[in-house]
Each structure stands twice: as C-alpha cells, then as structure tokens.
C-alpha cells in the first residue's frame, strides 16, 4: 500500500532561461546534489545516480548491478511492489532506470510541484528496500529471459559481447552489464542485499534535479528527505585491474543463420575523458565525426558509400570516452551486395591511412567544428539530456566544470591534434576486429 500523503511543494519560478544555470552542493552525509534550472515549463526531472555498475561486481556475480536495478522497484515498508512507477504514471509522469559498467541511475520526469513527494519516495528506497525471496526468484527469471531476448536472439549483440570480452582481457569492462547467464542463474537474495547495503547510500550517489526549480527549495527538500540517511562505511576507491599491453590484433568471426546483412566492425582501446585534461578525448570525438559521424558527408561515407565504385551501404565511426577507465573507438562498414567483408575492411583502413597522411580537409574540419558547437548549444535546450550528461560525467570522476568547459575544449582542438590521435589510437595491434556473417551452407 502507498502510505505517503500527496503534498504540494511551492517551487518559485524565475524568468525563462535555457538549462545552463547549474548549482551544486553536498549534504552532510555525502550526497552530491546538482540543480539545473530551466523555468520554461513547470516540469522537473529527478535523477539519482549511484557510483556503482557492472565493473564493480565481485568475481562470479556478474549481472548483480543490473539485477538490483530491477529489484529496486519491488517496494519498501511504505511503497508496495510496482506502486512507485504506478504513482509516477498517475501524476502524468514517467520513470525508468538503467545500468552501465560505471553507474546505475534512476529517474522520474514529473510536474514540478510533485518533486517533494518524489524525493521522499526515492530516498525511501535508497536505504529501505524490502526483498522477499519469491520476488528475487521471479525477477531472476525475468533478467535471464531479458538476456536471451536482447543478446541470445541477436547475432550482432552476441558478436559485440564476444568482442568486448576479447578487448578486455583483465579489466571487468569485458564482462557484459546484463551478466553471463550461468552466473546470473546463481544470483541470490543475499547477493542482492549485500550489494544494495554496501553501495546504495548517500555518500555513493549523485542527485540531479533539473527543470522548473530553485536551488534553495531543492536544498531544503534534499536535506529533509535524503539528509537523515546514513552513509555506507564500506565505500572504497574504485580501483580496477588494468589491461596489459595489447601486442597484436585480435579477430573474431561469428556466423549465424539469422544474419541477413553481414558487416565488419572494429573497436580500439582509447583514452577516456579525464578531469581537467579532456584534450585527447576531444580530439578523438572530432576524429569520429570526421571519419564516420555523418551518413553523407563523412570520409567513410564519401569514400565507401558514394565513390565511383561503392563498397558499403552504411559506415560509421564512434568514440565513447565517458568512463572511469579505458574508452573505445569503433568503426563499422556494411558492404554492398557483391562486395566482401575483406574488401570493406581494406577500404576502411585505406581511408584511415589517407587521413593520417594528409590530415583533415580545412573545410570539413571547420564544418565539424560548427556542427559540434551547434549541437552543444541545442543540448542546453534539453533539460533531461543535460541532467544525464552531468550525472554520467560525475559518476565517472569528471566535474561540473569539465561538463561546462567541454564545448570550449572541443572548439580548441587543432587538426594536428586530431591526426596525432588517429596515429596513436587507430593502430590495429590495439584493436579487436569482428566479422558478422551468415552461416555457410553445409555441403551435402
């Protein structure tokens, strides 16, 4: 039964502004709070980020972070199973949660005058989750089925999982967030409670409140609801095993009769964004845009898709560096019918070699800078996206200032820095290359 009485909290509004007015403070129990003001619409997003994810799990307990994310909706002494989300929906809002290697986050989007009750409910389940054995067993079956549907039924997902395991020989980033099925099947009620009691605490969390709010009103509500919660005494620095030097390229071929469109994909280990030193990450972000950020104007698109003899129907490049430890740089090409994966891979490598030799075209470089600058401005117009940007950054060790200055760091990148980043990172001995192919017919 939902035993909370619905209360309305007056949150004073100011003149409409873009969501770039940021205030931070920390409660006495260690909870970090970020307030992002955007007074154009009387709505608010509350996001609670925990500094724990799949890379923090004990050996043999893969999937416990994601499993606990599911169990967090099973209720407390005050809120019954499923009533949390039902309450949010009844107020015209929505809520959800997600887990990655470095963090687990919970969010609600709701009318601004419902923030007080949402804080009370979220604070309640931070330290008062109730887990019945039957609920744990039922939800364990749910996550196993989720793995079978999302991973087991998708050849592309299976290849990505195998490639990540090959990329990270020693670091827990090589373990899937959802877990390995044989370990998931052994997760217990005690495993979930141990993980919850250790990591779900105010001194291991970041609260992001974004929308039609005033910082002082948020502070009072946070002190009222989160302030009394006791911190965890077991939180330790997040030191993970490091990767040994990779001495040669690793290659995988996955064949599956369900594959209708083969492709070649390669991932490289890459530097992550670091607090106060984001220049290398910025150069890689621009490199990804130049190589494969656009389906029409990027170097891959122009060379592989729209050249005189097209090799690919699709190509891309992506850099992911918002992490505690190593990031990744990914390139991909889907060959046109009649072209082989070998030809597509060779064509990608040729584009990279030409780029390193000649550097970026000045007009392309200027265009990418303009596009990035525009996208960063547009991002300030999306309060939910901005809340996620801050939450993700702060849970991996970046600071509010790093988020604020990221557009300036990107804008300061030079062509020489981008070429140097390509030389350093796009080395095949630092990569895992995967081919996804239909299963060959067995000759009779």
């Amino acid at each position: 039964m939902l035993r909370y009485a619905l209360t309305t909290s007056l949150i004073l509004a100011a003149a409409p502004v873009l969501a770039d007015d940021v205030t931070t403070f920390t409660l006495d129990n260690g909870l970090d709070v970020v307030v992002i003001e955007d007074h154009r619409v009387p709505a608010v997003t509350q996001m609670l980020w925990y500094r724990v994810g799949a890379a923090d799990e004990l050996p043999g307990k893969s999937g416990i972070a994601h499993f606990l994310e599911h169990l967090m909706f099973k209720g407390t002494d005050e809120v019954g199973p499923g009533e949390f989300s039902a309450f949010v929906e009844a107020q015209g809002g929505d809520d959800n949660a997600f887990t990655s290697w470095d963090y687990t986050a919970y969010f609600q989007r709701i009318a601004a005058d419902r923030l007080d009750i949402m804080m009370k409910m979220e604070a309640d389940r931070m330290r008062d989750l109730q887990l019945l054995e039957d609920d744990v067993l039922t939800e364990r079956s749910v996550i196993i089925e989720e793995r079978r549907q999302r991973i087991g039924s998708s050849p592309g997902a299976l290849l990505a999982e195998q490639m990540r395991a090959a990329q990270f020989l020693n670091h827990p980033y090589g373990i899937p967030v959802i877990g390995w099925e044989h370990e998931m099947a052994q997760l217990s009620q005690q495993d979930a409670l141990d993980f919850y009691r250790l990591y779900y605490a105010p001194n291991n969390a970041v609260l992001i409140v974004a929308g039609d709010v005033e910082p002082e009103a948020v502070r009072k509500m946070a002190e009222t609801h989160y302030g009394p919660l006791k911190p965890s005494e077991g939180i330790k620095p997040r030191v993970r095993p490091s990767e040994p030097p990779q001495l040669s390229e690793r290659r995988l071929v996955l064949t599956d009769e369900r594959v209708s469109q083969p492709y070649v994909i390669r991932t490289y280990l890459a530097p992550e964004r670091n607090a106060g030193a984001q220049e290398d990450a910025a150069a890689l972000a621009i490199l990804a845009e130049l190589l494969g950020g656009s389906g029409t104007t990027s170097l891959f698109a122009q060379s592989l898709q729209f050249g005189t003899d097209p090799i690919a129907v699709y190509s891309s490049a992506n850099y992911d560096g918002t992490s505690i430890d190593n990031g990744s740089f990914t390139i991909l090409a889907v060959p046109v019918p009649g072209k082989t994966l070998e030809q597509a891979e060779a064509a990608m490598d040729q584009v990279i070699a030409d780029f390193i030799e000649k550097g970026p075209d000045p007009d392309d470089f200027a265009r990418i800078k303009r596009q990035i600058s525009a996208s960063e401005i547009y991002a300030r117009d999306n309060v939910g996206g901005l809340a996620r940007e801050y939450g993700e950054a702060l849970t991996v060790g970046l600071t509010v200032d790093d988020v604020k200055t990221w557009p300036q760091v990107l804008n300061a990148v030079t062509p020489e820095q981008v070429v140097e980043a390509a030389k350093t990172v796009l080395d095949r001995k630092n990569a895992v290359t995967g081919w996804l192919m239909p299963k060959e017919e067995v000759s009779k």
Side-chain angles (χ1 to χ4, degrees):
M1 295 291 292
L2 182 64
R3 300 187 180 92
Y4 290 135
L6 179 62
T7 60
T8 299
S9 174
L10 178 62
I11 305 174
L12 299 177
V17 293
L18 286 180
D20 58 2
D21 202 356
V22 180
T23 302
T24 64
F25 55 89
T26 302
L27 300 188
D28 291 342
N29 59 9
L31 178 67
D32 292 322
V33 184
V34 177
V35 182
I36 306 170
E37 296 181 68
D38 186 337
H39 301 288
R40 295 171 296 173
V41 177
V44 65
T45 295
Q46 174 181 234
M47 301 192 79
L48 189 62
W49 296 71
Y50 291 98
R51 294 184 178 95
V52 64
D56 301 296
E57 297 165 339
L58 290 174
K61 304 296 183 181
S62 66
I64 189 64
H66 173 254
F67 187 25
L68 182 56
E69 175 211 312
H70 278 239
L71 294 172
M72 283 291 284
F73 294 87
K74 292 302 179 182
T76 68
D77 286 341
E78 301 293 335
V79 181
E83 289 187 357
F84 189 106
S85 296
F87 176 82
V88 176
E89 184 177 355
Q91 305 307 309
D94 65 282
D95 74 316
N96 214 325
F98 49 89
T99 305
S100 187
W101 284 274
D102 293 318
Y103 50 76
T104 309
Y106 302 82
F107 70 88
Q108 307 89 39
R109 286 187 289 259
I110 202 162
D113 64 359
R114 299 298 189 265
L115 177 59
D116 185 79
I117 187 67
M118 288 316 311
M119 272 205 194
K120 188 173 185 178
M121 294 173 69
E122 190 67 89
D124 181 35
R125 67 175 176 175
M126 177 185 278
R127 297 303 266 168
D128 195 30
L129 181 66
Q130 303 298 304
L131 291 182
L132 300 178
E133 179 69 20
D134 287 347
D135 289 338
V136 171
L137 295 177
T138 299
E139 203 62 37
R140 189 174 67 188
S141 298
V142 170
I143 62 168
I144 291 173
E145 181 60 28
E146 180 183 352
R147 179 185 163 82
R148 290 171 179 169
Q149 291 182 1
R150 293 176 54 188
I151 309 296
S153 66
S154 169
L158 287 170
L159 176 62
E161 184 178 79
Q162 292 294 304
M163 289 181 63
R164 193 168 184 100
Q167 184 88 76
F168 294 98
L169 297 182
N170 196 47
H171 193 284
Y173 282 168
I175 298 172
V177 170
I178 200 167
W180 299 114
E181 184 171 337
H182 67 287
E183 292 183 349
M184 296 165 66
Q186 303 301 315
L187 295 176
S188 68
Q189 178 189 39
Q190 194 60 51
D191 292 330
L193 287 171
D194 289 345
F195 197 83
Y196 170 73
R197 289 166 180 164
L198 174 59
Y199 291 114
Y200 278 51
N203 58 324
N204 198 44
V206 180
L207 174 66
I208 311 287
V209 179
D212 190 18
V213 293
E214 290 289 338
E216 280 308 308
V218 173
R219 181 191 292 270
K220 291 178 181 178
M221 283 184 277
E223 288 175 343
T224 297
H225 302 304
Y226 292 103
L229 302 179
K230 293 182 179 180
S232 171
E233 297 180 357
I235 302 300
K236 298 178 181 178
R238 302 170 79 181
V239 179
R240 285 84 168 263
S242 59
E243 278 297 300
Q246 184 171 335
L247 304 180
S248 65
E249 181 184 10
R250 299 159 191 165
R251 301 185 66 87
L252 294 87
V253 176
L254 191 149
T255 60
D256 193 300
E257 63 272 6
R258 296 169 295 181
V259 174
S260 59
Q261 183 66 70
Y263 60 79
V264 56
I265 181 171
R266 184 183 301 150
T267 59
Y268 303 84
L269 284 179
E272 71 278 5
R273 287 172 63 184
N274 290 309
Q278 302 184 92
E279 291 78 11
D280 289 344
L284 287 167
I286 292 178
L287 175 62
E289 288 296 319
L290 285 166
L291 286 180
S294 166
T296 55
T297 60
S298 68
L299 292 175
F300 279 166
Q302 289 295 311
S303 180
L304 277 59
Q305 297 170 227
F306 303 116
T308 55
D309 183 20
I311 291 177
V313 295
Y314 175 78
S315 59
S316 68
N318 178 68
Y319 167 64
D320 182 5
T322 308
S323 53
I324 291 177
D325 300 308
N326 295 104
S328 62
F329 194 101
T330 304
I331 59 175
L332 178 145
V334 180
V336 300
K339 299 293 185 180
T340 66
L341 293 176
E342 185 177 17
Q343 289 173 309
E345 183 178 352
M348 284 197 302
D349 285 334
Q350 188 61 55
V351 172
I352 292 170
D354 291 344
F355 177 83
I356 291 174
E357 179 183 354
K358 301 174 184 177
D361 177 89
D363 291 339
D364 288 343
F365 194 76
R367 172 177 51 80
I368 291 297
K369 284 286 192 74
R370 289 194 299 271
Q371 290 175 346
I372 289 176
S373 178
S375 68
E376 290 295 331
I377 292 173
Y378 297 149
R380 265 51 186 174
D381 198 35
N382 182 341
V383 67
L386 201 55
R388 180 159 183 158
E389 182 179 357
Y390 274 96
E392 185 176 15
L394 295 177
T395 49
V396 301
L398 297 170
T399 67
V400 169
D401 189 59
D402 290 323
V403 178
K404 287 184 175 181
T405 60
W406 179 240
Q408 288 75 44
V409 176
L410 286 167
N411 194 52
V413 171
T414 66
E416 291 75 19
Q417 288 175 305
V418 176
V419 172
E420 186 59 33
K423 289 180 181 177
T424 303
V425 173
L426 304 187
D427 183 340
R428 285 180 55 164
K429 73 181 182 189
N430 193 43
V432 177
T433 302
W435 284 13
L436 184 67
M437 305 171 62
K439 184 166 288 186
E440 297 176 358
E441 293 185 7
V442 180
S443 57
K444 297 181 180 179

